[in-house]
Amino acid sequence: MIRSQYIQLRMLMCEDSVLTSDGHSEMQAIDHGLLAKDYVVYEDQLQFFALLARLDIRTSVDRLHESLRSRCSALQSEFARLERAIDSGSQRTIDLLHEQIHWIVLMIGYTLADSGTSERVLIPRQVTKYSKTCTSTEQDHTVQAILSMLQLLQFELSAPSPTVASYCSPLLAETLFWALRRIAPVYLLFDRSDYREVSQSLVAAFGTTLDGGNGVAVVGGILGLIKSAFEQWVSEEDVLQMCIDMLLAFAQRASLAQAITESPLFAPLMQFLVGSMHRFPETTHSSIVEALAVLCCHSPSAEHERGFAELKSLILGGFGQVAAAQPQDPRVIGRVLDGLD
């Protein structure tokens, strides 16, 4: 009862927020640093919601997934209208859907995974028990909720035109990457020996290749989403930093980090990030190099030195291009020093 009322209240608050907004961009309204982030400000509420949700995990996950699915469908319909006729009247509807999906994703993130930095986080016992009762991947709404978030992120990062792209939400992109940072290291390529029992739907969707799972393909898909995010939100520091934080979270799981370095998409991503670093906010430069270096540490021994050598070559090559183009520009010195740090 309380769970349903909280979801309903949040959806109504989103409506009120959109209706009373003055039309300014959402970044101007909410970008006030970490303390303004909803996953920080409302952490206690969201944790309590997750605690109650896990008491009746089936009803909660089913409700959250249905809420997410229906609003994603409505959002895609609005974007289709824009693509056909560029209907500016859809702006308020799109803003409302973005805001509501943002909160649904926060609730899903807290419900499906716990946070943790010093200890290994496992899939919650209530989730594994619920998933075990599902007869197929399609009926397992835990799996479907995670896949829906990945599909939504891909949709938001693949706008067909600049005009339509201007309606996309950097806040929602950041929230989706936040949810993936929290969920993916727990679910992707999980070790079956950590669990007394685990459903075939979880194994099939996120397990290792050895177990017959699709986890490696999902890892590759996430790397592609990161590249798309850096291309589309090149000036949005919060979105880019969340992508980097997600990579660093992945690096805490050795098996996941190794799968990333073995992916055929990792080397092109590394080349893109380093080669385009001058386009990104300077505050992200050190974090980008750190994330790539930490991931290279998990590459197979035969590839370890080659990975670091390639990263070093890419960084030095980037410095050389910038310095050759503007050798007397004081900003070049700042960029070089920032990169060396």
Side-chain angles (χ1 to χ4, degrees), residues 130-198:
Y130 156 74
S131 183
K132 189 70 176 176
T133 65
C134 299
T135 57
S136 66
T137 301
E138 290 72 22
Q139 292 184 353
D140 190 338
H141 287 174
T142 298
V143 172
Q144 294 304 315
I146 297 173
L147 295 180
S148 293
M149 289 191 293
L150 289 168
Q151 292 165 1
L152 175 59
L153 188 53
Q154 183 178 27
F155 174 78
E156 283 278 318
L157 295 174
S158 58
S161 69
T163 303
V164 175
S166 66
Y167 285 82
C168 294
S169 169
L171 171 64
L172 180 56
E174 179 190 353
T175 304
L176 287 165
F177 278 117
W178 170 86
L180 290 177
R181 184 191 69 176
R182 187 181 180 97
I183 292 173
V186 180
Y187 285 77
L188 287 183
L189 305 177
F190 61 87
D191 188 345
R192 298 186 68 170
S193 65
D194 290 333
Y195 304 91
R196 182 174 301 176
E197 59 179 3
V198 65

Side-chain angles (χ1 to χ4, degrees), residues 29-245:
I30 64 168
D31 188 12
H32 302 294
L34 179 62
L35 294 179
K37 302 300 182 184
D38 289 331
Y39 55 80
V40 176
V41 175
Y42 299 100
E43 181 178 14
D44 291 343
Q45 288 185 18
L46 291 165
Q47 285 182 338
F48 187 63
F49 172 85
L51 178 64
L52 294 177
R54 292 179 189 177
L55 295 177
D56 186 4
I57 191 67
R58 177 182 295 277
T59 302
S60 301
V61 171
D62 289 356
R63 172 73 184 275
L64 287 171
H65 174 249
E66 175 57 29
S67 298
L68 177 63
R69 187 197 61 78
S70 63
R71 285 169 175 81
C72 287
S73 178
L75 183 65
Q76 291 174 356
S77 297
E78 290 297 324
F79 271 85
R81 289 178 57 200
L82 284 173
E83 189 176 355
R84 289 194 303 267
I86 312 298
D87 181 7
S88 60
S90 300
Q91 177 69 68
R92 196 173 293 274
T93 302
I94 291 175
D95 289 346
L96 174 59
L97 290 169
H98 277 148
E99 184 72 12
Q100 290 180 333
I101 294 172
H102 158 77
W103 277 100
I104 294 170
V105 170
L106 288 177
M107 294 180 217
I108 292 174
Y110 272 89
T111 301
L112 295 188
D114 297 310
S115 63
T117 54
S118 59
E119 59 182 18
R120 186 170 180 179
V121 182
L122 300 179
I123 301 172
R125 177 177 53 84
Q126 299 90 334
V127 174
T128 58
K129 289 181 64 177
Y130 156 74
S131 183
K132 189 70 176 176
T133 65
C134 299
T135 57
S136 66
T137 301
E138 290 72 22
Q139 292 184 353
D140 190 338
H141 287 174
T142 298
V143 172
Q144 294 304 315
I146 297 173
L147 295 180
S148 293
M149 289 191 293
L150 289 168
Q151 292 165 1
L152 175 59
L153 188 53
Q154 183 178 27
F155 174 78
E156 283 278 318
L157 295 174
S158 58
S161 69
T163 303
V164 175
S166 66
Y167 285 82
C168 294
S169 169
L171 171 64
L172 180 56
E174 179 190 353
T175 304
L176 287 165
F177 278 117
W178 170 86
L180 290 177
R181 184 191 69 176
R182 187 181 180 97
I183 292 173
V186 180
Y187 285 77
L188 287 183
L189 305 177
F190 61 87
D191 188 345
R192 298 186 68 170
S193 65
D194 290 333
Y195 304 91
R196 182 174 301 176
E197 59 179 3
V198 65
S199 71
Q200 186 57 38
S201 59
L202 286 174
V203 173
F206 309 121
T208 64
T209 303
L210 185 62
D211 292 330
N214 196 45
V216 172
V218 176
V219 169
I222 291 177
L223 293 181
L225 291 173
I226 292 173
K227 184 175 184 294
S228 297
F230 272 84
E231 290 174 333
Q232 179 165 326
W233 300 114
V234 63
S235 300
E236 294 295 334
E237 180 181 344
D238 289 345
V239 177
L240 304 188
Q241 189 61 54
M242 188 58 70
C243 291
I244 299 167
D245 291 345

Side-chain angles (χ1 to χ4, degrees), residues 314-336:
L314 288 170
I315 294 174
L316 293 177
F319 288 154
Q321 292 176 3
V322 175
Q326 294 176 310
Q328 303 301 322
D329 193 331
R331 291 174 298 180
V332 173
I333 299 175
R335 291 172 182 172
V336 172

Side-chain angles (χ1 to χ4, degrees), residues 210-335:
L210 185 62
D211 292 330
N214 196 45
V216 172
V218 176
V219 169
I222 291 177
L223 293 181
L225 291 173
I226 292 173
K227 184 175 184 294
S228 297
F230 272 84
E231 290 174 333
Q232 179 165 326
W233 300 114
V234 63
S235 300
E236 294 295 334
E237 180 181 344
D238 289 345
V239 177
L240 304 188
Q241 189 61 54
M242 188 58 70
C243 291
I244 299 167
D245 291 345
M246 183 176 65
L247 286 175
L248 288 171
F250 288 178
Q252 295 178 8
R253 281 271 316 280
S255 60
L256 185 53
Q258 185 172 343
I260 290 175
T261 59
E262 292 176 351
S263 170
L265 296 175
F266 178 66
L269 176 64
M270 183 166 64
Q271 294 172 358
F272 167 75
L273 292 178
V274 176
S276 306
M277 196 175 297
H278 62 281
R279 300 171 54 207
F280 310 140
E282 293 185 2
T283 52
T284 65
H285 293 182
S286 297
S287 299
I288 291 173
V289 174
E290 177 188 3
L292 295 176
V294 172
L295 286 170
C296 285
C297 290
H298 292 276
S299 59
S301 56
E303 300 291 327
H304 190 87
E305 292 297 331
R306 187 189 65 80
F308 272 109
E310 185 175 357
L311 179 59
K312 179 181 177 181
S313 175
L314 288 170
I315 294 174
L316 293 177
F319 288 154
Q321 292 176 3
V322 175
Q326 294 176 310
Q328 303 301 322
D329 193 331
R331 291 174 298 180
V332 173
I333 299 175
R335 291 172 182 172

